[in-house]
Amino acid sequence: MSDRTAATAEIDSRLEGHRVELTGYCYRMLGSAFEAEDAVQDTLVRAWRSFDKFEGRSSLRSWLYRIATNVCLDMLNAGNKRARPVDLTGPTPLAQAALNPLPENTWLEPMPDGRILPSMDDPAEAAVARESVRLAFVAALQHLPPKQRAVLILREVLAWKASEVAELLDTSVASVNSALQRARATLSETDADSAAADAANPLDDEQRKLLERYVAAFEGYDMAALTALLHEDAVMTMPPFDLWLRGHDDITGFMLSIGAGCAGSRLVATEANGTPAFAHYKPNPDGPGFVPWAVQVIDISDGAITGMHCFLDTPRWFPLFGLPDHLEADAG
């Protein structure tokens, strides 16, 4: 291997070593799995092209975060703010339920844990990282102006010093502290349900048993058993549809009416947004086995399921999560 080839490989390795944490940062900023990955790729390409100008006055990590922040701020200048169905309308009574899709760029998107959560030795740091990619928290971040969003993530999630954030954003420490204060005030108003879900990674025995019962109830399409697992104010969302339901009666009523085609489904465990998740496969209408239907992201609180967030655009989600596009008839 030539010296030039070895140097190139070393640069590639150093840059690539930051991909997961940068993807997590860009995902929190943008609320989109695919935009986050595009932003990180753009960041690494810019870093590669400018690497000979990197003078080492800051760490490579800080330099990459500066580039990533600028990429995200440029992308956010378009003004798009991603949301969950619960952020746009009130719940729909079951009697009025209708499936109205909205454009893809409306929605906050799910993200596999492995793409955004780097390995951490400190359990407390790992817990903060998981909480900060939960759907509710990322949705709340979307209410912040872009620079406040960056300040809050860097200070509160990544534990940067105010002076480090000020240098990254080319501003003063006083400006950073003021932005952080305003961001905290906004989150206190908009993030009311973020603290409602219990930490669920790693799962404790009670949570594991709850999820096992959920799988059994869902696959058996046993609405009495499912009702017993759902909080009375549980929420079900189904992007790209703006419809969302609140309460176990409306959720199970929907599943027995408009959603009746899900009877006989199979669930395969995965992880998304720091919480338990399942790949949902419906019976194949054209033959044996099961075909993709949704990625379900599950919220748990006080021994009950409080959220079933079903992302239905499976041609996008199943490849992202590395999930098979078919299950055999004996799967389970």
Side-chain angles (χ1 to χ4, degrees), residues 31 61 76 90 123 131 144 154 159 175 183 195 199 257 275 311 314 316 320:
R61 181 172 183 257
L76 289 168
E131 284 299 301
L144 301 176
L154 291 165
S175 177
S257 55
T275 61
F311 295 88
T314 54
R316 301 175 77 228
L320 181 72

Side-chain angles (χ1 to χ4, degrees), residues 85 88 99-108 237-243 293 310-314 316-317:
L88 301 181
L99 300 178
N100 302 309
L102 293 181
E104 171 273 320
N105 64 0
T106 305
W107 302 117
L108 184 71
T237 66
M238 292 165 282
F241 302 115
D242 59 358
L243 168 75
W293 181 247
C310 307
F311 295 88
L312 304 181
D313 192 357
T314 54
R316 301 175 77 228
W317 304 131

Side-chain angles (χ1 to χ4, degrees), residues 281-282 284 287-292 318 323-329 331:
Y281 292 83
K282 286 176 63 173
N284 183 0
F290 303 86
V291 292
F318 275 51
L323 294 163
D325 60 7
H326 185 267
L327 288 185
E328 297 303 326

